[in-house]
Amino acid sequence: KAEMATHVADDHWTIEIRLPVTQDENDPLHQIIGRKPTQSLPWHINICRQRIRDDGSEYSALSPTGTAGFHEPMKFAHFYDGRSHQFDYDPSVTDFARSFSAAAQQRKAEPFLALADSQAKITDFQKSAALEQAARYDRENAPAIIERIPLEAVRKTAQMQYLFANQQAAEVVAQFAEEDLADWPFWKRGDGYHLRGRAYFIMKEAKKADADLTAALEWTSEPRTRDAINLALGQNREHNLRDDDAALAAYQAIVEDRPQIGHSDGLTALQGIARILTRQGRYDDAIAVLNRANPDKLQGTWRERILGSIEAVNQARKERP
């Protein structure tokens, strides 16, 4: 019987597990009979997390196994009491997760295709993920690769990505406007709403774009992807819906609470915030926002863009009635 305590701070979870170890065999149902783990004689453990939803199940593990299950002894973590120690491992032991990561570093279709076609037992989920990546890197053969994706939601997502790569936003809308994305697996809905929302934005179907992009945020947790969604939301609200207040909220969601802003979505958001503040006559606030980009330390195109935005604010100040 393990006692567990959970602490939450700044969106990070800390879990403490107390395992009562004893040599007394009189109460075996409530304590662990044996010895405490040490560096020389560690325990080998894995902990599986199962989140059961109304429309599916989500699984994760302390030590990811790269398989459909979590009980893979060669992937178990070492659990012991003592100073930090790096244990030896067998380099021949591999799995889908390791192979997928290695393929991603090569940024080519071939390793993903090899992974999808490997003799190793992989799930439809894993095969779909590998083929989706292969289609992104091999645009010429993408249609044939996409057809091989076994999971429908992943196959349709890859098709949308392919159409975007060929600048066919109108075709994304034509093919997927009637798609009920709420019926997709929960782990793929965010991608579907994001891609279709971007297509609606490009086609200036502003209300549909706002609805899809807002839904995409609900089903997306990866920070950089959320930045991209919020940026599209802000641009759609600013340029298509002409709703500066709503656009400002989307832009600020990208840059708030960040001491340093260096990635393109963040810098573009700063420009959007400055434009809105300038239209409101808040010129000093607009300059302060743009200075968060540290233009003196920027190089290349972004230095020119931020300095150009600062010049635009100053020019608007001079021309004010």
Side-chain angles (χ1 to χ4, degrees), residues 1 14 60 70 83 90 101 113 117 165 169 205-206 221 224 233 264 270 304 311:
K1 180 181 179 181
T14 300
S60 57
F70 79 100
R83 299 177 62 183
D90 184 348
S101 178
L113 290 172
D117 295 333
E205 297 191 42
S221 59
R224 292 298 295 270
L233 264 175
S264 60
L270 292 180
E304 297 176 4
E311 176 63 27

Side-chain angles (χ1 to χ4, degrees), residues 271-282:
Q271 290 181 301
I273 294 171
R275 285 194 302 272
I276 294 171
L277 294 177
T278 299
R279 286 196 290 270
Q280 295 175 348
R282 299 166 58 186

Side-chain angles (χ1 to χ4, degrees), residues 19 21-23 34-39 41-43 79-81:
L19 301 172
V21 178
T22 182
Q23 297 294 330
R35 57 172 176 78
K36 294 182 179 180
T38 64
Q39 180 177 300
L41 293 172
W43 289 356
F79 183 62
Y80 63 96
D81 181 23

